[in-house]
Amino acid sequence: MFAMTLWLGNSAYLYISVAFAQMLKAIMPVAVFLLGTAFGLEEMNCKMLAIMSIISVGVIVASVGEITISWVGVVYQMGGVVAEALRLIFIEIFLKKKGVRLNLISMMYYVSPCSAFCLFIPWLFLEKPKMDASISWNFPPVTLFLNCMCTFVLNLSVFLVISRTSALTARVTGVVRDWSVVLLSAAIFADTKLTFINIVGYAIAIVGVVAYNNHKLKPQVNQQQGADSKVSPGSPRHVEIPLNSTKESS
């Protein structure tokens, strides 16, 4: 599922702008909640239904405000969102059944080689023949290396933020990061044209995302505070890293 997230998510950038792709990603909590309900991990209630409705309305409004929309890119992006949601669901099932606790860095040791293998096979049959037939194609090692370094630094920074503060802080900073991606991509790329409807729709979706984060993480924060109050001063504190509180960069 992680390999599918990378494949479909990156393919979407060939058809839609970075800003619009980021807006569509705001629908992620809805996909996670609906699939979690189907797998018996979440319970449907009025509050969560209201939050999911706010996010959905925001994404729909942002999509209506898009000037040049490509439905092929939308399908790719939505496929990536579903794959990412399934990945989080499978991780949660694995952790609840096996009782294993892994932080983000340790998790990447297992996921990355498996994802590379899953991506190598379709690349060999689908993309490599096109690359061999293209005369103008060239391999940019510097750009690819910098992209890999940015991804590693992102995962490392998320790990440090959660270990030093909390998962709630990491999610709040993630919202700020999402807004930064939308605004910076609109300023850098000429093909990105933000409209007022785009901004309003994305703002509505972000309000729903913040409400979702607060609803999901508030019990964890209260539990952690209760555990901290029982720890004597000067004693080491064990920090548990929730895997489903972070998003890998593609």
Side-chain angles (χ1 to χ4, degrees):
M1 288 299 102
F2 183 58
M4 290 296 293
T5 301
L6 297 178
W7 189 0
L8 297 176
N10 285 329
S11 298
Y13 291 124
L14 299 174
Y15 302 94
I16 58 179
S17 65
V18 176
F20 185 50
Q22 195 68 30
M23 293 178 187
L24 293 177
K25 288 180 183 179
I27 201 73
M28 176 68 69
V30 177
V32 174
F33 178 73
L34 293 179
L35 290 173
T37 303
F39 279 90
L41 301 176
E42 301 283 353
E43 292 184 2
M44 184 70 70
N45 55 66
C46 295
K47 185 175 182 179
M48 287 301 295
L49 187 61
I51 293 175
M52 297 302 106
S53 300
I54 292 174
I55 297 175
S56 301
V57 169
V59 173
I60 292 173
V61 172
S63 302
V64 172
E66 183 68 11
I67 298 176
T68 56
I69 186 172
S70 171
W71 292 108
V72 176
V74 172
V75 170
Y76 272 124
Q77 188 60 61
M78 289 296 97
V81 167
V82 173
E84 175 70 5
L86 284 173
R87 185 185 71 87
L88 296 177
I89 294 297
F90 291 150
I91 289 177
E92 186 171 352
I93 292 175
F94 171 74
L95 294 180
K96 286 187 175 182
K97 288 186 176 181
K98 301 296 183 180
V100 179
R101 292 293 182 267
L102 295 175
N103 59 47
L104 181 60
I105 303 300
S106 300
M107 187 66 183
M108 295 305 293
Y109 290 153
Y110 295 94
V111 174
S112 297
C114 184
S115 299
F117 177 76
C118 292
L119 288 172
F120 177 77
I121 297 178
W123 170 82
L124 196 63
F125 294 99
L126 298 178
E127 294 188 351
K128 187 177 182 299
K130 297 179 181 179
M131 295 163 63
D132 293 337
S134 177
I135 302 176
S136 60
W137 182 85
N138 62 335
F139 182 77
V142 177
T143 304
L144 185 61
F145 175 77
L146 293 176
N147 184 277
C148 294
M149 286 300 299
C150 287
T151 305
F152 175 75
V153 171
L154 170 65
N155 288 307
L156 183 61
S157 65
V158 171
F159 173 79
L160 293 175
V161 167
I162 298 177
S163 61
R164 298 298 178 88
T165 58
S166 66
L168 180 59
T169 303
R171 289 204 177 193
V172 172
T173 55
V175 172
V176 177
R177 180 192 62 197
D178 294 342
W179 270 104
S180 302
V181 170
V182 172
L183 297 178
L184 285 176
S185 62
I188 295 174
F189 300 110
D191 62 337
T192 302
K193 302 295 183 182
L194 291 180
T195 64
F196 178 74
I197 300 179
N198 278 143
I199 299 297
V200 171
Y202 189 54
I204 295 174
I206 288 299
V207 169
V209 171
V210 172
Y212 173 82
N213 292 339
N214 182 68
H215 177 76
K216 295 295 291 183
L217 289 177
K218 194 173 182 179
Q220 298 178 16
V221 173
N222 293 336
Q223 184 179 4
Q224 182 65 38
Q225 290 176 349
D228 291 344
S229 62
K230 298 179 182 179
V231 179
S232 60
S235 61
R237 184 182 68 173
H238 173 68
V239 179
E240 202 169 84
I241 311 299
L243 292 176
N244 60 349
S245 66
T246 58
K247 296 185 295 183
E248 285 81 2
S249 167
S250 60

